[in-house]
Amino acid sequence: MTLLEVKNLKKYYEISQGLFKPKVVVKAVDNVSFSIKKGETFALVGESGCGKSTTGKTLLRLTGTTSGEILYKGKDLLALSAEKMRSLRAEMQMVFQDPYASLNPKMTIKQILMEPLRVHNKFQPEERLEKILKILEIVGLSKEHLDRHPNEFSGGQRQRIGIARAVILNPDFIVADEPVSALDVSVQSQVINLMLELQKEFGLTYLFISHDLSVVEHMTDRVAVMYLGKIVELVDTEELFANPKHPYTQALISAVPASHPKEVKERIVLKGDVPNPANPPSGCTFHTRCPFAMDICKSVVPALTEIESGHITSCHLYTNNKEEK
Ligand code: SF4
């Protein structure tokens, strides 16, 4: 069953180049479509600035949208009043990348976890403390932590508090934006395992945003790869790692460390940096870095096409256009 469907989502920004110069439009999210099934973990991956975090924020309406549709349980989120959206947010929560910045340093853990219950008027006031204690226990913290402030915890513990705050309202859907990238590697797997346990216990659906493909491989069911605001490949996680089609995905996967010492991996090093999104290359926006670029790639935008069952990508290598080289 589809929980969330995104259709032709666009988020453009106008940026000023200075006095007397025309503004330029940055297409942070450009015509993105995907759907997320109930109970699955759907990943958005790509380098910094590819539009994955902006996409996550638009889904919760934490930032505005230029156009497109976001259907959650069949409801068009962009058509909802601010008040209706506010009450729906209890079901749609976010876990942020930086557990240091996302918790108010002046509040105790009890206050941090009480606030969403109060704002959304969940449970009777006398039941709320019991709920907080239960959630703290689930995320591996305890009653003694209630009156402490965020600065008294380690990074991993703070992220556990961030996760507790997200799940305390019994949500159905969580956008997790780089939830482990600010943590030490030794703590990352504990937080990931916690998220997987919570998913099982509460039937959660995740949108998991990450640039770390080894975490994505372990944690997610399907993946959409983004480059300069567009999805360039979308497929089941297992298939993506076994059989990546888009040259950009191939390069990203080649950079994932080998999981076995005997596994030999050939790293594909891309030339140059990600182009300026205010002035993206013509045609396929990846052509300036692609090892397989053809003439057609410079002028014709490749369409997202299902090239194998359930495997979607946008690349002229897999279309008839290849012959026009
Ligand atoms: Fe490379 Fe061309 Fe495919 Fe773009 S369309 S990824 S430039 S081969």
Side-chain angles (χ1 to χ4, degrees):
M1 177 192 148
T2 301
L3 184 76
L4 183 112
E5 195 171 2
V6 175
K7 294 184 188 172
N8 308 111
L9 186 69
K10 293 182 184 173
K11 171 68 184 174
Y12 294 174
Y13 296 98
E14 273 193 349
I15 52 169
S16 165
Q17 300 188 97
L19 223 52
F20 309 119
K21 287 191 178 162
K23 287 184 174 168
V24 287
V25 174
V26 173
K27 297 178 177 178
V29 179
D30 193 14
N31 215 12
V32 160
S33 300
F34 58 88
S35 60
I36 305 181
K37 293 177 226 160
K38 187 166 169 38
E40 83 169 335
T41 301
F42 184 88
L44 282 181
V45 305
E47 288 161 294
S48 161
C50 70
K52 54 192 190 307
S53 292
T54 308
T55 303
K57 285 187 192 133
T58 58
L59 301 191
L60 303 189
R61 275 187 45 188
L62 298 177
T63 184
T65 319
T66 304
S67 64
E69 271 184 278
I70 303 168
L71 302 172
Y72 174 75
K73 295 183 179 173
K75 282 186 210 121
D76 182 358
L77 294 190
L78 300 179
L80 292 183
S81 66
E83 196 187 332
K84 286 213 168 114
M85 189 62 213
R86 208 173 305 122
S87 65
L88 200 62
R89 277 224 184 89
E91 298 186 20
M92 306 177 79
Q93 290 288 306
M94 186 143 187
V95 173
F96 296 90
Q97 172 179 7
D98 187 350
Y100 296 85
S102 64
L103 302 174
N104 185 335
K106 292 192 180 143
M107 290 168 90
T108 63
I109 303 317
K110 183 177 168 186
Q111 289 167 332
I112 287 170
L113 296 179
M114 190 65 85
E115 191 180 37
L117 297 178
R118 209 175 30 74
V119 169
H120 290 280
N121 202 17
K122 286 269 179 176
F123 309 109
Q124 295 302 318
E126 62 277 12
E127 294 169 346
R128 288 177 188 161
L129 184 58
E130 199 185 318
K131 177 75 182 169
I132 288 172
L133 289 172
K134 196 167 165 217
I135 246 6
L136 272 185
E137 193 189 331
I138 291 172
V139 301
L141 297 169
S142 65
K143 197 176 175 180
E144 292 85 72
H145 295 117
L146 272 182
D147 295 319
R148 295 193 197 166
H149 291 82
N151 65 350
E152 296 174 70
F153 294 90
S154 67
Q157 284 175 319
R158 285 186 227 206
Q159 196 55 298
R160 286 170 188 272
I161 296 163
I163 291 170
R165 183 180 54 185
V167 296
I168 201 162
L169 293 167
N170 294 336
D172 288 328
F173 178 59
I174 292 183
V175 175
D177 187 2
E178 302 271 13
V180 295
S181 59
L183 305 178
D184 288 345
V185 176
S186 57
V187 181
Q188 285 186 356
S189 57
Q190 294 170 16
V191 172
I192 287 167
N193 288 339
L194 171 65
M195 289 182 71
L196 291 170
E197 280 162 27
L198 291 172
Q199 183 171 41
K200 249 191 240 160
E201 185 161 345
F202 298 113
L204 296 170
T205 304
Y206 289 131
L207 173 65
F208 191 85
I209 297 168
S210 181
H211 69 279
D212 184 343
L213 283 181
S214 46
V215 174
V216 166
E217 184 175 18
H218 176 68
M219 166 99 195
T220 69
D221 300 303
R222 285 189 305 140
V223 185
V225 181
M226 289 186 75
Y227 187 76
L228 279 184
K230 288 180 190 289
I231 289 180
V232 296
E233 187 156 10
L234 194 162
V235 67
D236 286 353
T237 306
E238 215 181 321
E239 173 66 9
L240 186 90
F241 283 84
N243 192 18
K245 295 291 189 189
H246 195 281
Y248 178 58
T249 315
Q250 290 168 354
L252 290 182
I253 288 180
S254 79
V256 176
S259 53
H260 191 279
K262 287 196 175 157
E263 190 186 337
V264 181
K265 286 190 96 171
E266 197 182 328
R267 174 104 193 250
I268 303 168
V269 181
L270 294 175
K271 359 171 217 182
D273 294 324
V274 181
N276 180 357
N279 185 21
S282 57
C284 170
T285 54
F286 187 57
H287 83 253
T288 51
R289 304 172 78 196
C290 179
F292 307 106
M294 305 169 276
D295 283 346
I296 188 174
C297 305
K298 294 178 192 158
S299 54
V300 179
V301 179
L304 262 182
T305 312
E306 188 170 26
I307 55 167
E308 285 170 11
S309 174
H311 198 151
I312 296 166
T313 194
S314 59
C315 175
H316 291 308
L317 290 172
Y318 306 99
T319 63
N320 293 333
N321 290 334
K322 188 186 173 188
E323 292 158 15
E324 295 173 29
K325 185 181 176 184

